[in-house]
Amino acid sequence: MLAVVRLLIPITVLILLCAARMASAAVPPAPTLDIADLTAQRVRAPAEFLVTAPDTTLDELPLDGFRPLTGRDVNQGISDRAFWIRMRLHNSGNAPVHWVLSHETTYLDLMTVYWVDNGGQWHECSLTDRAPFDKRMLDYRRLAFKHATPPGGSTTLYLRLAYEKPDSVSLNLDLAEAGRFADQSRREYALYGLYYGAMLVLVFISLAGAGLLRQWLFFQYAVFLVASALMWALLNGFAFQFLWPQSVFWHNEGFHILYLLMAASAFQFSRGFLRTRQRFPGIDRAIRCVQAIMMLGILMRFAGFYEPVLVLSFVGLLSLILLAPLGFWAYRQGQHYARWYAIAWVLYGIGLALGVISAGTPWLHWGMDSLVFAQAAGVLEALLLLVALGERLISWDRDRRMALRMAHQDPLTGLNNRRGMSLVYETFRQRFERTGLPVFLILIDLDHFKQINDTYGHEAGDQVLVDLADLLNRTSRPADVCIRYGGEEFVLLLQVPSEAVALDIAERIRLDFAGTPTEHEGRAIRHTLTAGIAPVFAADVQLSPSQMLRDADRALYQAKRQGRNRCRLYQGPSRHTS
């Protein structure tokens, strides 16, 4: 029996040694990083990484498969593989080092941490965004792991990064001393607060503009801002942390829905802003087709489709860069306010394109840092779009005023026409009520104008009318209003203290016109005019538009009967009141 025991002892020792060697082979040694003076840094070589099948376990990792993690390895494109990162943190100091390890993105499905301190027992911690937010180890917008490495000791780490479905993979991890991590978190939350505060102010301004100015375009702008802010809140992790911390669905499935919603609202705003239906009907039809596809993609995502919607959402974001050349084209077509729109979409479009390329391909090597640029460009874009809206509103008001002016303007002389008489009448009525200064109407008629046309031609007659209009503009004051009432008849409305002053002004116009022949094709055309003057508003007079014209016409008729080329005040049997 003793002989058997003596035989079993070395066999048992040999088995234990083999098991220990196999265990050490199952978990390959990790490269070492000294963290005694740790502040904050990105995880890079000597840390190493490995890509495996999704179901690979820790003890199945190969001995020699890991490679040094460099900046060129960070972006892995869209993948459903498992990504392993290993490192050994050595604390050469005399006090424990508390540190936090966090992943760069907020949409990482699973970060499993395996660790051992000083070669002791292995531990495992699974961090996931497939659970409510309050289940996280740290109250932080991204998945983060906190630990302490004992003084003079080491912590060996193996991290497994994975997604339940194919998604964009970044191997960027941030390692920071716990106090430094807390300080950085406060600063970044404050900066993000400025962004969302600015967006909230812009939404309020746009909704106020929609309500006060009754401009539907401002409401479309507000919808775009809200969709854009929600998209960024989801990407930043704040939507899951503050808006829907219990909704695992919206945090994981809402990304592509909000990508498409933001893109569709951007196109809808652009259609109204650039007036594509009127100016670019072909492009407008194409935009409406794109919007319909985006809405279909949203419905497909709710129905459970994933990969087609993933690709569609990325394409939708990339398509927004086309709005910049569309804006410049609209600017070249005469929509001057579109310049700010085009510049805004150059900035935001480039930022979104870089973000999509970083997320969807391994071509760029800066992780998701491009999203920071895109989000900052989004604020500037929103401000520039507000400037563009303001300029468009000013341009619209200017065009409206010009259209009104053209509708009430005589094309030959540039004076007001008879359609503007009612507006002018109301203006002078309000002035009289405010000042009490009498208002007079001078009705002017060219003498023998038909004879001028028959003798010198209609072009010469038109030149005579233009010369009289110029004379009226030179003679009248800024507050006076000159109107070409029709044919060779002109009206001058003015406020003066008395009938004598009104008569004196009419006389000066008559004498100046008679003494200044019109030069046409080398010939001097002599001409005269006759004027009738009637009070419109005075202490005992308040005439309607028809009454003032009737009285002035009667005075004009009396002047013509007396031989023309003269001015006459209305001398009616009685005063009229309206």
Side-chain angles (χ1 to χ4, degrees):
M1 183 66 179
L2 182 61
V4 174
V5 171
R6 288 177 178 174
L7 181 63
L8 289 175
I9 289 175
I11 293 174
T12 303
V13 171
L14 181 61
I15 291 173
L16 291 174
L17 289 174
C18 290
R21 179 170 295 181
M22 290 174 65
S24 64
V27 181
T32 301
L33 176 67
D34 195 337
I35 59 170
D37 299 319
L38 177 66
T39 55
Q41 64 185 64
R42 279 278 164 88
V43 174
R44 293 288 187 270
E48 297 176 329
F49 81 102
L50 175 68
V51 184
T52 69
D55 56 353
T56 303
T57 61
L58 180 66
D59 56 2
E60 294 174 341
L61 297 179
L63 285 170
D64 55 357
F66 282 85
R67 295 187 290 118
L69 177 61
T70 67
R72 298 185 64 85
D73 304 306
V74 167
N75 286 77
Q76 294 290 323
I78 297 175
S79 175
D80 61 352
R81 308 277 284 173
F83 294 82
W84 295 81
I85 296 175
R86 70 176 181 180
M87 56 188 164
R88 179 174 176 268
L89 306 180
H90 176 65
N91 178 14
S92 59
N94 298 320
V97 175
H98 296 266
W99 48 265
V100 175
L101 186 66
S102 60
H103 190 258
E104 177 186 35
T105 68
T106 61
Y107 49 83
L108 178 65
D109 285 347
L110 184 65
M111 183 169 79
T112 306
V113 185
Y114 303 91
W115 81 95
V116 58
D117 290 325
N118 297 329
Q121 183 179 358
W122 282 92
H123 302 274
E124 177 182 347
C125 177
S126 291
L127 305 172
T128 178
D129 68 353
R130 297 284 173 171
F133 188 86
D134 57 10
K135 302 298 183 183
R136 295 191 173 189
M137 176 181 285
L138 295 178
D139 185 20
Y140 185 56
R141 61 192 184 89
R142 300 181 293 177
L143 295 180
F145 174 75
K146 184 178 181 180
H147 189 61
T149 299
S154 63
T155 300
T156 300
L157 285 170
Y158 277 77
L159 288 88
R160 179 178 178 272
L161 311 178
Y163 293 88
E164 289 192 1
K165 290 171 285 193
D167 211 331
S168 55
V169 178
S170 167
L171 300 186
N172 263 340
L173 291 158
D174 295 308
L175 179 66
E177 187 272 328
R180 183 67 174 270
F181 172 81
D183 292 340
Q184 286 182 335
S185 298
R186 284 190 289 270
R187 285 196 295 270
E188 72 180 30
Y189 274 60
L191 287 174
Y192 280 118
L194 292 176
Y195 166 80
Y196 291 105
M199 295 296 283
L200 187 63
V201 169
L202 291 175
V203 169
F204 176 78
I205 292 174
S206 57
L207 289 177
L212 296 176
L213 302 175
R214 301 186 182 278
Q215 291 287 319
W216 177 249
L217 190 59
F218 277 84
F219 180 77
Q220 293 176 335
Y221 172 64
V223 171
F224 164 68
L225 290 180
V226 170
S228 187
L230 282 176
M231 181 191 75
W232 286 113
L234 203 59
L235 282 168
N236 299 147
F238 296 119
F240 195 31
Q241 185 173 6
F242 298 113
L243 298 181
W244 45 74
Q246 299 300 313
S247 179
V248 175
F249 171 84
W250 270 107
H251 176 64
N252 287 277
E253 317 303 334
F255 284 95
H256 308 131
I257 294 172
L258 286 177
Y259 291 167
L260 292 171
L261 185 62
M262 190 278 284
S265 63
F267 278 116
Q268 184 63 29
F269 167 74
S270 300
R271 288 182 61 211
F273 183 83
L274 299 176
R275 300 171 62 193
T276 55
R277 176 179 290 183
Q278 296 82 13
R279 298 295 187 92
F280 315 109
I283 293 177
D284 185 75
R285 287 192 293 271
I287 290 177
R288 281 186 283 134
C289 289
V290 169
Q291 288 178 298
I293 294 172
M294 290 177 178
M295 293 298 103
L296 178 61
I298 292 175
L299 294 176
M300 290 174 61
R301 192 68 195 91
F302 279 114
F305 294 92
Y306 177 75
E307 290 191 38
V309 182
L310 168 67
V311 174
L312 179 61
S313 65
F314 280 10
V315 172
L317 291 179
L318 281 174
S319 67
L320 294 179
I321 201 170
L322 299 175
L323 294 178
L326 179 59
F328 282 117
W329 188 19
Y331 173 72
R332 293 289 300 272
Q333 295 295 316
Q335 299 183 55
H336 299 294
Y337 48 81
R339 54 186 172 177
W340 299 112
Y341 168 93
I343 295 171
W345 277 109
V346 166
L347 297 173
Y348 201 29
I350 290 175
L352 290 173
L354 290 176
V356 170
I357 293 172
S358 296
T361 71
W363 301 340
L364 303 178
H365 311 301
W366 49 49
M368 294 295 105
D369 290 341
S370 56
L371 293 179
V372 177
F373 167 77
Q375 191 165 358
V379 178
L380 185 57
E381 184 233 21
L383 290 171
L384 289 175
L385 288 180
L386 187 61
V387 172
L389 274 172
E391 189 171 7
R392 184 184 187 275
L393 190 63
I394 293 172
S395 176
W396 175 82
D397 185 63
R398 183 171 57 246
D399 292 344
R400 182 184 64 85
R401 291 177 180 272
M402 182 176 294
L404 286 174
R405 187 166 60 249
M406 293 295 292
H408 296 92
Q409 188 179 60
D410 176 58
L412 176 64
T413 63
L415 301 179
N416 291 320
N417 60 27
R418 65 189 303 165
R419 283 195 295 270
M421 179 71 79
S422 59
L423 296 176
V424 172
Y425 171 86
E426 185 61 26
T427 300
F428 276 91
R429 186 186 65 79
Q430 293 174 3
R431 288 183 191 173
F432 172 73
E433 291 178 352
R434 187 172 61 252
T435 64
L437 191 65
V439 176
F440 294 89
L441 181 143
I442 302 176
L443 180 61
I444 298 171
D445 185 79
L446 272 71
D447 298 329
H448 306 295
F449 183 67
K450 183 178 183 303
Q451 184 177 342
I452 293 176
N453 280 331
D454 293 341
T455 304
Y456 300 99
H458 288 281
E459 289 186 4
D462 288 346
Q463 187 60 51
V464 171
L465 296 174
V466 170
D467 285 353
L468 178 55
D470 292 341
L471 172 60
L472 292 175
N473 280 325
R474 291 196 311 270
T475 306
S476 61
R477 301 162 301 174
D480 301 337
V481 175
C482 305
I483 297 172
R484 183 186 177 192
Y485 193 69
E488 65 271 23
E489 287 188 327
F490 292 77
V491 165
L492 177 61
L493 275 165
L494 68 167
Q495 276 187 295
V496 290
S498 65
E499 293 179 341
V501 176
L503 180 60
D504 181 65
I505 292 173
E507 278 292 326
R508 281 192 280 115
I509 293 172
R510 182 186 68 81
L511 293 173
D512 196 339
F513 187 67
T516 310
T518 294
E519 297 292 334
H520 180 73
E521 295 182 352
R523 293 183 292 181
I525 304 173
R526 307 195 66 84
H527 39 56
T528 60
L529 61 82
T530 303
I533 307 156
V536 181
F537 298 113
D540 58 343
V541 178
Q542 288 193 28
L543 302 185
S544 67
S546 60
Q547 289 173 332
M548 70 179 184
L549 287 167
R550 183 191 61 193
D551 287 358
D553 189 60
R554 287 176 176 174
L556 178 66
Y557 178 73
Q558 292 172 4
K560 286 186 175 182
R561 289 189 62 184
Q562 294 173 356
R564 290 188 170 86
N565 191 21
R566 65 192 65 231
C567 302
R568 182 176 176 84
L569 283 165
Y570 173 71
Q571 300 292 334
S574 62
R575 296 297 189 185
H576 304 278
T577 59
S578 59

